[in-house]
Amino acid sequence: MSSIENRIAGAPISWGVCEVPGWGWQYDAETVLHQMREVGLAATEFGPDGFLPDAPAEKAATLSGNGLKAVGGFVPVVLHDPGHDPLPEVAKALEGFVAAGAGTLVLAAATGQEGYDDRPVLDDLGWSTLLGNLDRLAKVAAEQGLVATLHPHVGTMVENADDVDRVLSGSTIGLCLDTGHLLIGGVDPVELAKRHTARIVHTHLKDVDAGWAAKVQAGAVSYTDAVRQGMYRPLGAGDIDLGTIVTTLESAGYDGWYVLEQDTILTEAPAPGSDGPLADVRASVAHLRHLAEGV
């Protein structure tokens, strides 16, 4: 890859498209992909199952027909259960990744429950199983030419600072630096970027209202309700020092994607003539381009 301009990608969640049942009103793929190109995005993550065609060849054709490259995608799988093998699920997902020319597998350590508002506590066996599966799946992905990453994510088995440290010390998989989920989970994304730059192989850029993030951490409000209330902000309109993060990564030779993700819940279809989520996406693209000028 080359300049940041050519490495700015989108994610359907910025348009409210999410795998969680009952998340909100959902856009169709044609509209989302068209608007991605309209704001100058170079590529996209796949989004949840069913958003793009399941057949690998059709998935690839849909993206190329809209002038978008394939980044890869978010694959939440249960990694901690000794009685569950996540490989078949991941192998099926990788078929579509390879067919579309994607290069990044973004794993999340799913709880096995719906949504992201609660999670169980792991014992030593659960952690050993999770870490072993991360390395095993990273190897499987590498054999097919893809880079596997672990996405610390609110409401998954890898959420907070202790969880992240355990992954960093107990596995070799690369990290997806999701600036929003890290902050909400109690991890300073700026410090993580500085201390573990070499482990970061994929980036989800989010900006966050720190007040809402603190409420989620304190258990005063659920993650989903905080998203509904606008916890995620367009880049530059929240409280994360994105400039330092981008500068740190680029100075270290990072050449991966910057995926713009502003998790959004839509209660209904935007009014005719309204930009809807596109206005925030456009603002985020403009802000990242501005940051790139200073690198």
Side-chain angles (χ1 to χ4, degrees):
M1 296 190 194
S2 52
S3 69
I4 293 177
E5 178 75 19
N6 297 322
R7 291 183 280 134
I8 303 176
I13 188 67
S14 295
W15 280 261
V17 178
C18 182
E19 74 279 0
V20 177
W23 182 259
W25 184 85
Q26 304 281 297
Y27 269 98
D28 61 277
E30 181 179 355
T31 299
V32 172
L33 299 180
H34 174 77
Q35 291 189 357
M36 284 182 176
R37 288 303 300 150
E38 183 180 333
V39 295
L41 297 176
T44 182
E45 289 195 357
F46 290 143
D49 288 345
F51 177 67
L52 294 176
D54 289 334
E58 290 183 46
K59 183 176 294 188
T62 298
L63 291 180
S64 62
N66 283 278
L68 292 165
K69 295 179 181 178
V71 172
F74 180 70
V75 180
V77 287
V78 173
L79 300 170
H80 63 276
D81 183 353
H84 174 76
D85 184 1
L87 181 57
E89 298 166 73
V90 173
K92 181 179 179 181
L94 288 178
E95 291 180 16
F97 284 41
V98 172
T104 309
L105 169 65
V106 184
L107 293 169
T111 63
Q113 304 168 176
E114 288 187 349
Y116 297 111
D117 293 331
D118 191 23
R119 66 177 194 149
V121 176
L122 284 188
D123 57 16
D124 287 343
L125 176 59
W127 268 110
S128 175
T129 303
L130 187 154
L131 295 171
N133 276 324
L134 286 177
D135 283 344
R136 183 167 68 108
L137 295 174
K139 181 179 178 181
V140 169
E143 290 170 349
Q144 299 189 55
L146 288 97
V147 174
T149 72
L150 186 277
H151 184 332
H153 192 293
V154 173
T156 69
M157 306 316 301
V158 181
E159 172 185 270
N160 59 39
D162 288 343
D163 301 335
V164 173
D165 286 343
R166 201 153 184 172
V167 169
L168 288 169
S169 63
S171 76
T172 59
I173 195 168
L175 280 186
C176 169
L177 182 78
D178 186 298
T179 55
H181 280 281
L182 287 166
L183 181 69
I184 297 163
V187 181
D188 183 339
V190 176
E191 288 305 308
L192 183 65
K194 290 178 177 178
R195 289 174 51 222
H196 297 288
T197 316
R199 289 291 290 273
I200 297 168
V201 295
H202 192 54
T203 302
H204 285 175
L205 281 185
K206 291 181 168 76
D207 215 341
V208 176
D209 181 306
W212 279 109
K215 291 179 182 180
V216 175
Q217 290 174 26
V221 65
S222 73
Y223 174 76
T224 304
D225 284 343
V227 174
R228 188 175 289 112
Q229 294 299 322
M231 176 170 60
Y232 290 111
R233 307 294 299 148
L235 300 189
D239 296 303
I240 296 178
D241 184 358
L242 298 169
T244 296
I245 289 172
V246 172
T247 299
T248 298
L249 294 178
E250 291 298 304
S251 297
Y254 175 78
D255 65 352
W257 292 102
Y258 291 100
V259 180
L260 306 185
E261 279 198 337
Q262 182 184 336
D263 293 27
T264 299
I265 294 175
L266 300 175
T267 58
E268 60 186 2
S274 166
D275 277 347
L278 182 62
D280 283 355
V281 176
R282 188 180 287 114
S284 291
V285 172
H287 185 72
L288 181 52
R289 286 173 175 163
H290 173 71
L291 293 180
E293 292 174 359
V295 175

